[in-house]
Amino acid sequence: MAKDAAALAEVMEHSAAVLTAAGFPRMAARVLMALTVTETPGLTASELADRLEASAAGISGAVRYLQTLGIVRRVSQPGSRRDRYEIPSDWYALMVRNSPVYGVLADQAEAGLAAVGDPASPATERLRDMAGFYRFVQSRLPQLIAEWETVRAARDAAETAGPAARRA
């Protein structure tokens, strides 16, 4: 149980608001954050609806959206007709690997370059930079994920070792 449930609920809602301001659908952001801060491995649609004071339809749409991004997975519960929704431990890698957004944006910038067709146009430089930047980000993501997994493993090993091992 959270030491300060009210503070945790505030963190959940504020984080969801930040994601929404960045363009994430509001209910999907709220569901994602509810699943992030829960003390259980996951939540059913009914539990999500209760916690977020949301409709079943709103939860269903949000979960479906998060599943398409690879951030949430549905897990059958033995002996129950209800599924539980969980965030996989490698959600970040799944999301990046399953999202072609950077490649699509680079492709669009390159299509824009062809449409402008004028090397002297100010739009040409901006579109070239846009395409180059998104290709760069796309090419670096696998390396960044690998680096994060190394950092995460080291952090987890240090936390598992306990205070005595950290002092040594």
Short mmCIF file of all heavy atoms in Angstrom, two decimals, residues 63-116:
data_model
loop_
_atom_site.label_atom_id
_atom_site.label_comp_id
_atom_site.label_asym_id
_atom_site.label_seq_id
_atom_site.Cartn_x
_atom_site.Cartn_y
_atom_site.Cartn_z
N VAL A 63 -7.53 1.23 -23.51
CA VAL A 63 -6.74 -0.01 -23.46
C VAL A 63 -6.41 -0.48 -24.87
O VAL A 63 -5.28 -0.90 -25.15
CB VAL A 63 -7.50 -1.09 -22.65
CG1 VAL A 63 -6.91 -2.46 -22.86
CG2 VAL A 63 -7.52 -0.73 -21.18
N ARG A 64 -7.37 -0.40 -25.76
CA ARG A 64 -7.13 -0.80 -27.15
C ARG A 64 -6.01 0.05 -27.77
O ARG A 64 -5.10 -0.46 -28.43
CB ARG A 64 -8.43 -0.69 -27.96
CG ARG A 64 -8.38 -1.33 -29.31
CD ARG A 64 -9.74 -1.43 -30.00
NE ARG A 64 -10.63 -0.29 -29.81
CZ ARG A 64 -11.70 -0.28 -28.99
NH1 ARG A 64 -12.01 -1.34 -28.29
NH2 ARG A 64 -12.44 0.79 -28.88
N TYR A 65 -6.07 1.35 -27.54
CA TYR A 65 -5.03 2.26 -28.05
C TYR A 65 -3.66 1.89 -27.47
O TYR A 65 -2.67 1.78 -28.21
CB TYR A 65 -5.39 3.71 -27.68
CG TYR A 65 -4.35 4.71 -28.05
CD1 TYR A 65 -4.22 5.17 -29.36
CD2 TYR A 65 -3.47 5.23 -27.09
CE1 TYR A 65 -3.26 6.10 -29.71
CE2 TYR A 65 -2.51 6.16 -27.44
CZ TYR A 65 -2.40 6.59 -28.74
OH TYR A 65 -1.44 7.51 -29.08
N LEU A 66 -3.58 1.68 -26.16
CA LEU A 66 -2.31 1.35 -25.52
C LEU A 66 -1.78 -0.01 -25.99
O LEU A 66 -0.56 -0.18 -26.11
CB LEU A 66 -2.47 1.37 -24.00
CG LEU A 66 -2.74 2.75 -23.40
CD1 LEU A 66 -3.15 2.63 -21.94
CD2 LEU A 66 -1.54 3.67 -23.56
N GLN A 67 -2.68 -0.94 -26.28
CA GLN A 67 -2.25 -2.23 -26.80
C GLN A 67 -1.64 -2.08 -28.19
O GLN A 67 -0.66 -2.76 -28.51
CB GLN A 67 -3.43 -3.21 -26.85
CG GLN A 67 -3.82 -3.76 -25.50
CD GLN A 67 -5.01 -4.69 -25.60
OE1 GLN A 67 -6.09 -4.29 -26.02
NE2 GLN A 67 -4.81 -5.93 -25.23
N THR A 68 -2.19 -1.21 -29.02
CA THR A 68 -1.62 -1.03 -30.36
C THR A 68 -0.22 -0.43 -30.29
O THR A 68 0.60 -0.69 -31.17
CB THR A 68 -2.51 -0.15 -31.27
OG1 THR A 68 -2.58 1.16 -30.72
CG2 THR A 68 -3.88 -0.75 -31.45
N LEU A 69 0.06 0.34 -29.25
CA LEU A 69 1.39 0.90 -29.08
C LEU A 69 2.36 -0.08 -28.44
O LEU A 69 3.57 0.16 -28.42
CB LEU A 69 1.33 2.16 -28.20
CG LEU A 69 0.57 3.35 -28.76
CD1 LEU A 69 0.58 4.50 -27.75
CD2 LEU A 69 1.15 3.81 -30.08
N GLY A 70 1.83 -1.18 -27.89
CA GLY A 70 2.69 -2.16 -27.22
C GLY A 70 3.00 -1.80 -25.79
O GLY A 70 3.87 -2.42 -25.17
N ILE A 71 2.30 -0.83 -25.23
CA ILE A 71 2.57 -0.39 -23.86
C ILE A 71 1.80 -1.24 -22.86
O ILE A 71 2.22 -1.39 -21.72
CB ILE A 71 2.18 1.09 -23.67
CG1 ILE A 71 2.96 1.97 -24.63
CG2 ILE A 71 2.41 1.55 -22.25
CD1 ILE A 71 2.53 3.42 -24.60
N VAL A 72 0.66 -1.78 -23.25
CA VAL A 72 -0.19 -2.56 -22.36
C VAL A 72 -0.48 -3.91 -23.01
O VAL A 72 -0.65 -3.99 -24.23
CB VAL A 72 -1.51 -1.81 -22.07
CG1 VAL A 72 -2.53 -2.69 -21.37
CG2 VAL A 72 -1.23 -0.57 -21.22
N ARG A 73 -0.52 -4.94 -22.18
CA ARG A 73 -0.91 -6.26 -22.69
C ARG A 73 -2.06 -6.79 -21.86
O ARG A 73 -2.19 -6.48 -20.67
CB ARG A 73 0.26 -7.22 -22.68
CG ARG A 73 0.71 -7.59 -21.30
CD ARG A 73 1.80 -8.63 -21.34
NE ARG A 73 2.31 -8.81 -19.98
CZ ARG A 73 3.53 -9.11 -19.69
NH1 ARG A 73 4.42 -9.26 -20.65
NH2 ARG A 73 3.89 -9.26 -18.44
N ARG A 74 -2.89 -7.60 -22.52
CA ARG A 74 -4.03 -8.22 -21.85
C ARG A 74 -3.61 -9.61 -21.41
O ARG A 74 -3.04 -10.39 -22.18
CB ARG A 74 -5.21 -8.30 -22.80
CG ARG A 74 -6.44 -8.89 -22.15
CD ARG A 74 -7.62 -8.81 -23.05
NE ARG A 74 -7.34 -9.50 -24.31
CZ ARG A 74 -8.05 -9.33 -25.40
NH1 ARG A 74 -9.05 -8.48 -25.44
NH2 ARG A 74 -7.75 -9.99 -26.49
N VAL A 75 -3.90 -9.93 -20.14
CA VAL A 75 -3.52 -11.22 -19.57
C VAL A 75 -4.78 -11.90 -19.05
O VAL A 75 -5.51 -11.32 -18.23
CB VAL A 75 -2.50 -11.04 -18.42
CG1 VAL A 75 -2.13 -12.37 -17.80
CG2 VAL A 75 -1.27 -10.30 -18.90
N SER A 76 -5.02 -13.11 -19.51
CA SER A 76 -6.17 -13.87 -19.03
C SER A 76 -5.94 -14.28 -17.58
O SER A 76 -4.82 -14.62 -17.19
CB SER A 76 -6.37 -15.13 -19.88
OG SER A 76 -6.67 -14.78 -21.20
N GLN A 77 -7.02 -14.26 -16.81
CA GLN A 77 -6.94 -14.69 -15.42
C GLN A 77 -7.59 -16.06 -15.31
O GLN A 77 -8.76 -16.20 -15.62
CB GLN A 77 -7.66 -13.70 -14.50
CG GLN A 77 -7.04 -12.32 -14.52
CD GLN A 77 -7.70 -11.43 -13.52
OE1 GLN A 77 -7.22 -11.31 -12.40
NE2 GLN A 77 -8.83 -10.81 -13.89
N PRO A 78 -6.83 -17.07 -14.89
CA PRO A 78 -7.39 -18.42 -14.77
C PRO A 78 -8.63 -18.42 -13.87
O PRO A 78 -8.63 -17.80 -12.81
CB PRO A 78 -6.26 -19.23 -14.14
CG PRO A 78 -5.01 -18.46 -14.45
CD PRO A 78 -5.43 -17.02 -14.49
N GLY A 79 -9.67 -19.08 -14.35
CA GLY A 79 -10.89 -19.19 -13.57
C GLY A 79 -11.78 -17.97 -13.60
O GLY A 79 -12.75 -17.88 -12.85
N SER A 80 -11.47 -17.01 -14.44
CA SER A 80 -12.26 -15.80 -14.52
C SER A 80 -12.47 -15.43 -15.99
O SER A 80 -11.63 -15.72 -16.83
CB SER A 80 -11.55 -14.64 -13.81
OG SER A 80 -12.24 -13.43 -14.01
N ARG A 81 -13.59 -14.78 -16.25
CA ARG A 81 -13.83 -14.30 -17.61
C ARG A 81 -13.22 -12.92 -17.81
O ARG A 81 -13.19 -12.41 -18.92
CB ARG A 81 -15.33 -14.24 -17.90
CG ARG A 81 -15.95 -15.61 -17.93
CD ARG A 81 -17.38 -15.60 -18.33
NE ARG A 81 -18.08 -14.40 -17.91
CZ ARG A 81 -19.34 -14.15 -18.14
NH1 ARG A 81 -20.07 -15.02 -18.80
NH2 ARG A 81 -19.91 -13.05 -17.72
N ARG A 82 -12.75 -12.32 -16.75
CA ARG A 82 -12.15 -10.98 -16.85
C ARG A 82 -10.67 -11.06 -17.15
O ARG A 82 -9.95 -11.89 -16.60
CB ARG A 82 -12.35 -10.21 -15.54
CG ARG A 82 -13.79 -9.92 -15.25
CD ARG A 82 -13.92 -9.13 -13.98
NE ARG A 82 -15.32 -8.89 -13.71
CZ ARG A 82 -15.77 -7.83 -13.11
NH1 ARG A 82 -14.92 -6.90 -12.68
NH2 ARG A 82 -17.04 -7.66 -12.89
N ASP A 83 -10.23 -10.18 -18.01
CA ASP A 83 -8.81 -10.07 -18.30
C ASP A 83 -8.21 -8.97 -17.44
O ASP A 83 -8.89 -8.04 -17.02
CB ASP A 83 -8.59 -9.73 -19.78
CG ASP A 83 -9.01 -10.84 -20.71
OD1 ASP A 83 -8.85 -12.02 -20.34
OD2 ASP A 83 -9.50 -10.54 -21.81
N ARG A 84 -6.93 -9.10 -17.20
CA ARG A 84 -6.20 -8.08 -16.46
C ARG A 84 -5.28 -7.39 -17.46
O ARG A 84 -4.75 -8.02 -18.38
CB ARG A 84 -5.38 -8.75 -15.35
CG ARG A 84 -4.67 -7.77 -14.45
CD ARG A 84 -3.93 -8.46 -13.32
NE ARG A 84 -2.82 -9.23 -13.86
CZ ARG A 84 -2.60 -10.51 -13.60
NH1 ARG A 84 -3.38 -11.19 -12.82
NH2 ARG A 84 -1.56 -11.12 -14.14
N TYR A 85 -5.10 -6.11 -17.30
CA TYR A 85 -4.21 -5.34 -18.17
C TYR A 85 -2.96 -5.00 -17.39
O TYR A 85 -3.02 -4.57 -16.24
CB TYR A 85 -4.92 -4.08 -18.67
CG TYR A 85 -6.11 -4.45 -19.52
CD1 TYR A 85 -7.38 -4.49 -18.98
CD2 TYR A 85 -5.94 -4.84 -20.85
CE1 TYR A 85 -8.46 -4.89 -19.75
CE2 TYR A 85 -7.02 -5.24 -21.62
CZ TYR A 85 -8.28 -5.26 -21.06
OH TYR A 85 -9.33 -5.66 -21.82
N GLU A 86 -1.83 -5.22 -18.03
CA GLU A 86 -0.52 -5.01 -17.39
C GLU A 86 0.39 -4.22 -18.31
O GLU A 86 0.22 -4.23 -19.53
CB GLU A 86 0.16 -6.36 -17.11
CG GLU A 86 -0.56 -7.25 -16.17
CD GLU A 86 0.16 -8.57 -15.96
OE1 GLU A 86 1.15 -8.87 -16.69
OE2 GLU A 86 -0.27 -9.32 -15.07
N ILE A 87 1.37 -3.61 -17.70
CA ILE A 87 2.45 -2.96 -18.45
C ILE A 87 3.63 -3.92 -18.44
O ILE A 87 4.13 -4.27 -17.38
CB ILE A 87 2.85 -1.62 -17.80
CG1 ILE A 87 1.68 -0.66 -17.79
CG2 ILE A 87 4.05 -1.02 -18.52
CD1 ILE A 87 1.95 0.63 -17.05
N PRO A 88 4.08 -4.39 -19.60
CA PRO A 88 5.23 -5.30 -19.62
C PRO A 88 6.49 -4.58 -19.13
O PRO A 88 6.61 -3.36 -19.26
CB PRO A 88 5.37 -5.70 -21.09
CG PRO A 88 4.32 -4.99 -21.84
CD PRO A 88 3.56 -4.11 -20.92
N SER A 89 7.41 -5.34 -18.57
CA SER A 89 8.62 -4.72 -18.03
C SER A 89 9.44 -4.02 -19.11
O SER A 89 10.17 -3.08 -18.82
CB SER A 89 9.47 -5.75 -17.29
OG SER A 89 9.90 -6.74 -18.20
N ASP A 90 9.33 -4.45 -20.34
CA ASP A 90 10.08 -3.83 -21.43
C ASP A 90 9.16 -3.02 -22.35
O ASP A 90 9.38 -2.93 -23.55
CB ASP A 90 10.85 -4.86 -22.23
CG ASP A 90 9.94 -5.88 -22.91
OD1 ASP A 90 8.74 -5.94 -22.56
OD2 ASP A 90 10.43 -6.60 -23.79
N TRP A 91 8.17 -2.37 -21.76
CA TRP A 91 7.19 -1.59 -22.54
C TRP A 91 7.86 -0.56 -23.43
O TRP A 91 7.42 -0.33 -24.54
CB TRP A 91 6.18 -0.90 -21.61
CG TRP A 91 6.82 0.08 -20.68
CD1 TRP A 91 7.26 -0.16 -19.42
CD2 TRP A 91 7.11 1.45 -20.95
NE1 TRP A 91 7.82 0.97 -18.90
CE2 TRP A 91 7.74 1.97 -19.81
CE3 TRP A 91 6.91 2.28 -22.06
CZ2 TRP A 91 8.17 3.30 -19.73
CZ3 TRP A 91 7.34 3.60 -21.97
CH2 TRP A 91 7.95 4.09 -20.82
N TYR A 92 8.91 0.05 -22.96
CA TYR A 92 9.59 1.10 -23.72
C TYR A 92 10.18 0.54 -25.01
O TYR A 92 10.08 1.15 -26.06
CB TYR A 92 10.68 1.75 -22.86
CG TYR A 92 11.62 0.74 -22.26
CD1 TYR A 92 12.74 0.30 -22.94
CD2 TYR A 92 11.34 0.18 -21.01
CE1 TYR A 92 13.56 -0.67 -22.40
CE2 TYR A 92 12.17 -0.77 -20.46
CZ TYR A 92 13.28 -1.19 -21.16
OH TYR A 92 14.10 -2.16 -20.64
N ALA A 93 10.77 -0.64 -24.93
CA ALA A 93 11.37 -1.25 -26.12
C ALA A 93 10.28 -1.69 -27.09
O ALA A 93 10.40 -1.50 -28.30
CB ALA A 93 12.24 -2.43 -25.73
N LEU A 94 9.20 -2.27 -26.55
CA LEU A 94 8.09 -2.69 -27.41
C LEU A 94 7.50 -1.50 -28.13
O LEU A 94 7.19 -1.56 -29.32
CB LEU A 94 7.01 -3.39 -26.58
CG LEU A 94 7.40 -4.73 -25.99
CD1 LEU A 94 6.35 -5.20 -25.00
CD2 LEU A 94 7.60 -5.75 -27.09
N MET A 95 7.32 -0.40 -27.42
CA MET A 95 6.73 0.78 -28.02
C MET A 95 7.60 1.32 -29.16
O MET A 95 7.11 1.64 -30.23
CB MET A 95 6.52 1.87 -26.96
CG MET A 95 5.71 3.04 -27.48
SD MET A 95 5.29 4.19 -26.17
CE MET A 95 6.65 5.32 -26.32
N VAL A 96 8.89 1.40 -28.92
CA VAL A 96 9.80 1.94 -29.93
C VAL A 96 9.91 1.00 -31.13
O VAL A 96 9.87 1.43 -32.27
CB VAL A 96 11.18 2.22 -29.31
CG1 VAL A 96 12.21 2.54 -30.37
CG2 VAL A 96 11.07 3.36 -28.31
N ARG A 97 10.01 -0.29 -30.85
CA ARG A 97 10.16 -1.26 -31.94
C ARG A 97 8.90 -1.36 -32.79
O ARG A 97 8.97 -1.63 -33.98
CB ARG A 97 10.53 -2.62 -31.38
CG ARG A 97 11.96 -2.67 -30.88
CD ARG A 97 12.34 -4.06 -30.41
NE ARG A 97 13.64 -4.00 -29.77
CZ ARG A 97 13.87 -4.34 -28.50
NH1 ARG A 97 12.89 -4.79 -27.74
NH2 ARG A 97 15.07 -4.24 -27.99
N ASN A 98 7.74 -1.15 -32.17
CA ASN A 98 6.48 -1.29 -32.89
C ASN A 98 5.97 0.03 -33.47
O ASN A 98 4.94 0.05 -34.12
CB ASN A 98 5.40 -1.86 -31.95
CG ASN A 98 5.71 -3.28 -31.55
OD1 ASN A 98 6.41 -3.99 -32.26
ND2 ASN A 98 5.22 -3.69 -30.41
N SER A 99 6.68 1.10 -33.25
CA SER A 99 6.21 2.40 -33.73
C SER A 99 7.10 2.91 -34.86
O SER A 99 8.27 3.22 -34.64
CB SER A 99 6.22 3.42 -32.58
OG SER A 99 5.87 4.69 -33.08
N PRO A 100 6.53 3.02 -36.03
CA PRO A 100 7.32 3.51 -37.17
C PRO A 100 7.31 5.04 -37.29
O PRO A 100 7.67 5.57 -38.32
CB PRO A 100 6.58 2.88 -38.35
CG PRO A 100 5.15 2.88 -37.92
CD PRO A 100 5.20 2.59 -36.43
N VAL A 101 6.93 5.74 -36.22
CA VAL A 101 6.68 7.17 -36.34
C VAL A 101 7.88 7.95 -36.90
O VAL A 101 7.71 8.82 -37.75
CB VAL A 101 6.19 7.78 -35.00
CG1 VAL A 101 7.28 7.78 -33.94
CG2 VAL A 101 5.66 9.18 -35.21
N TYR A 102 9.09 7.64 -36.45
CA TYR A 102 10.24 8.41 -36.92
C TYR A 102 10.52 8.15 -38.40
O TYR A 102 10.84 9.07 -39.14
CB TYR A 102 11.48 8.12 -36.07
CG TYR A 102 11.26 8.51 -34.63
CD1 TYR A 102 11.22 7.57 -33.61
CD2 TYR A 102 11.04 9.84 -34.28
CE1 TYR A 102 10.99 7.93 -32.30
CE2 TYR A 102 10.81 10.21 -32.97
CZ TYR A 102 10.79 9.25 -31.99
OH TYR A 102 10.55 9.61 -30.69
N GLY A 103 10.41 6.91 -38.81
CA GLY A 103 10.60 6.60 -40.23
C GLY A 103 9.53 7.24 -41.09
O GLY A 103 9.82 7.76 -42.18
N VAL A 104 8.29 7.24 -40.62
CA VAL A 104 7.20 7.86 -41.38
C VAL A 104 7.42 9.36 -41.49
O VAL A 104 7.23 9.95 -42.57
CB VAL A 104 5.83 7.54 -40.72
CG1 VAL A 104 4.71 8.35 -41.34
CG2 VAL A 104 5.53 6.04 -40.82
N LEU A 105 7.83 10.00 -40.39
CA LEU A 105 8.08 11.44 -40.45
C LEU A 105 9.24 11.76 -41.39
O LEU A 105 9.19 12.75 -42.14
CB LEU A 105 8.35 11.99 -39.05
CG LEU A 105 7.14 12.05 -38.13
CD1 LEU A 105 7.55 12.34 -36.70
CD2 LEU A 105 6.14 13.09 -38.62
N ALA A 106 10.28 10.94 -41.38
CA ALA A 106 11.40 11.15 -42.30
C ALA A 106 10.94 10.97 -43.75
O ALA A 106 11.30 11.77 -44.62
CB ALA A 106 12.54 10.19 -41.97
N ASP A 107 10.13 9.94 -43.98
CA ASP A 107 9.59 9.72 -45.33
C ASP A 107 8.77 10.92 -45.80
O ASP A 107 8.87 11.35 -46.96
CB ASP A 107 8.71 8.47 -45.37
CG ASP A 107 9.49 7.17 -45.20
OD1 ASP A 107 10.73 7.19 -45.31
OD2 ASP A 107 8.83 6.14 -44.93
N GLN A 108 7.97 11.47 -44.89
CA GLN A 108 7.14 12.62 -45.25
C GLN A 108 8.00 13.84 -45.56
O GLN A 108 7.71 14.60 -46.50
CB GLN A 108 6.14 12.94 -44.13
CG GLN A 108 5.03 11.93 -44.01
CD GLN A 108 4.27 11.80 -45.31
OE1 GLN A 108 3.71 12.76 -45.83
NE2 GLN A 108 4.24 10.59 -45.86
N ALA A 109 9.06 14.03 -44.79
CA ALA A 109 9.96 15.15 -45.06
C ALA A 109 10.62 14.98 -46.43
O ALA A 109 10.76 15.95 -47.19
CB ALA A 109 11.01 15.26 -43.96
N GLU A 110 11.00 13.76 -46.75
CA GLU A 110 11.62 13.50 -48.05
C GLU A 110 10.62 13.70 -49.19
O GLU A 110 10.97 14.21 -50.26
CB GLU A 110 12.24 12.10 -48.07
CG GLU A 110 13.49 12.04 -47.19
CD GLU A 110 13.96 10.64 -46.87
OE1 GLU A 110 13.29 9.65 -47.23
OE2 GLU A 110 15.03 10.53 -46.23
N ALA A 111 9.37 13.33 -48.96
CA ALA A 111 8.32 13.60 -49.96
C ALA A 111 8.14 15.10 -50.12
O ALA A 111 7.92 15.59 -51.24
CB ALA A 111 7.01 12.93 -49.55
N GLY A 112 8.24 15.82 -49.01
CA GLY A 112 8.17 17.28 -49.08
C GLY A 112 9.31 17.87 -49.88
O GLY A 112 9.12 18.81 -50.66
N LEU A 113 10.50 17.32 -49.72
CA LEU A 113 11.66 17.77 -50.50
C LEU A 113 11.40 17.59 -51.99
O LEU A 113 11.68 18.48 -52.79
CB LEU A 113 12.91 16.97 -50.11
CG LEU A 113 13.63 17.40 -48.84
CD1 LEU A 113 14.67 16.36 -48.45
CD2 LEU A 113 14.26 18.76 -49.03
N ALA A 114 10.87 16.44 -52.35
CA ALA A 114 10.58 16.18 -53.76
C ALA A 114 9.51 17.15 -54.27
O ALA A 114 9.59 17.63 -55.41
CB ALA A 114 10.13 14.74 -53.95
N ALA A 115 8.53 17.44 -53.41
CA ALA A 115 7.44 18.34 -53.83
C ALA A 115 7.94 19.78 -53.99
O ALA A 115 7.51 20.49 -54.90
CB ALA A 115 6.30 18.30 -52.82
N VAL A 116 8.86 20.20 -53.11
CA VAL A 116 9.41 21.56 -53.22
C VAL A 116 10.27 21.63 -54.48
O VAL A 116 10.14 22.57 -55.28
CB VAL A 116 10.22 21.94 -51.97
CG1 VAL A 116 11.00 23.23 -52.20
CG2 VAL A 116 9.30 22.08 -50.76
#
